Each structure stands twice: as C-alpha cells, then as structure tokens.
Amino acid sequence: MKKIYPFEVLLWSIAFPGFGQIINKMYIRGAFFILLEFVINVMSSLNMNILYSFQGKSNEAVLVTNYEWAMFYPCVYMFAIYESFLRAIERNGENPPVFLTLPFVTGAYFSTVGVIYSNTIPYRFWIPPTFIPILGIAIGVAVGFFIRFILIRFSK
C-alpha cells in the first residue's frame, strides 16, 4: 500500500472539503462533502460574502449572506478536514494521537460563533465579515491544542 501523507491530505481538505477524502480513496464521502460544500456555499451566498469582504465592501457582504445557511459551513468544513486527516493516519497503520479531535471541534465552535457575530460587530468595517469566522477557526484551533496539551499532561 502506498504511504499517505496526512499533512498533505490535511492541506487539500483545507483547500476544499472533500478533496482529502478523494486523496484517501474515499470517493463517495469525498463527493458527499464536495456536494455539501457546494450546496451550503450557494444557499448562503458565501462566495459573494468572500468577494465583497476582500474588496472591503463589508455592508454588501453582510447583506448578501444567508446566515441561516452560513452557520452550517464551519462544522462541515472542520469535520471534513478532521475526518480526512484521521483516515490518512489510520491508512498508514498508525494510531491517531490522543484527543486529536479537540483542535478541530473547538475550531468549528469558535468559527460558528464568528459567523453568528460577523454581521453584528460594529467594527466590521475594519474586520470584514469573512475574516471574523476565519479568525474564530484560528483562535479555536489554538484553544483546542491548549486544552489537548493540558489533558495529555494531566492524564498521565
């Protein structure tokens, strides 16, 4: 069996949910995540939100976004990344690190909170709406790694 590089799978999954599953030869799951990403993206107008955010048009980004659909995106996104990374580790015959899920779960939580508040924060003109959930992922992953570190340290 050809060696899979989990970090490579992780990066492809970050680029687009479902690509990591495709690399792992999990074609049905990969197609499912790609389809789910497409549906959520279209229904929430996420690409227009991203476009307007990068152009500095925060009001337009907020107005075009369907937040009821956008709230699904962080959990689907982070789960697709986690699942593909975990399966790549397992396909190599390795045991996954303990508490591996924590950074992904906390990243999803914090990003979802970022989505919730991205249209209400009054300073969104300085931080475009798309960047608030992205910042939530970064903070959430860092918090998850910290909690994981504490749990590993004190569970010995």
Side-chain angles (χ1 to χ4, degrees):
M1 178 187 336
K2 185 179 172 189
K3 180 169 173 60
I4 300 288
Y5 296 97
F7 190 67
E8 179 182 353
V9 171
L10 179 87
L11 291 175
W12 274 109
S13 203
I14 288 170
F16 201 94
F19 284 6
Q21 283 78 7
I22 300 293
I23 292 171
N24 281 330
K25 300 186 185 320
M26 300 164 61
Y27 302 114
I28 294 172
R29 284 187 189 180
F32 173 73
F33 280 119
I34 290 168
L35 178 67
L36 197 55
E37 197 281 340
F38 180 77
V39 168
I40 294 170
N41 192 311
V42 169
M43 296 305 293
S44 67
S45 297
L46 185 60
N47 278 350
M48 292 307 296
N49 179 297
I50 293 168
L51 179 72
Y52 287 138
S53 289
F54 272 87
Q55 292 175 347
K57 300 175 182 177
S58 294
N59 282 335
E60 289 88 340
V62 168
L63 292 174
V64 76
T65 305
N66 180 335
Y67 285 92
E68 291 175 3
W69 276 93
M71 286 179 53
F72 286 112
Y73 195 81
C75 289
V76 170
Y77 183 72
M78 293 304 289
F79 182 76
I81 295 168
Y82 163 74
E83 200 255 352
S84 66
F85 184 62
L86 175 66
R87 298 298 175 236
I89 292 169
E90 291 174 343
R91 281 192 64 200
N92 286 334
E94 301 168 11
N95 290 325
V98 294
F99 305 118
L100 176 65
T101 191
L102 279 171
F104 298 97
V105 169
T106 53
Y109 290 159
F110 278 68
S111 184
T112 300
V113 170
V115 170
I116 292 167
Y117 287 105
S118 67
N119 67 341
T120 61
I121 295 177
Y123 52 85
R124 69 175 178 254
F125 297 101
W126 295 285
I127 302 175
T130 294
F131 295 105
I132 295 170
I134 292 170
L135 187 60
I137 288 176
I139 293 169
V141 167
V143 167
F145 273 117
F146 179 72
I147 294 170
R148 182 175 176 265
F149 171 78
I150 298 288
L151 289 173
I152 290 170
R153 183 149 178 120
F154 291 108
S155 67
K156 291 182 179 180

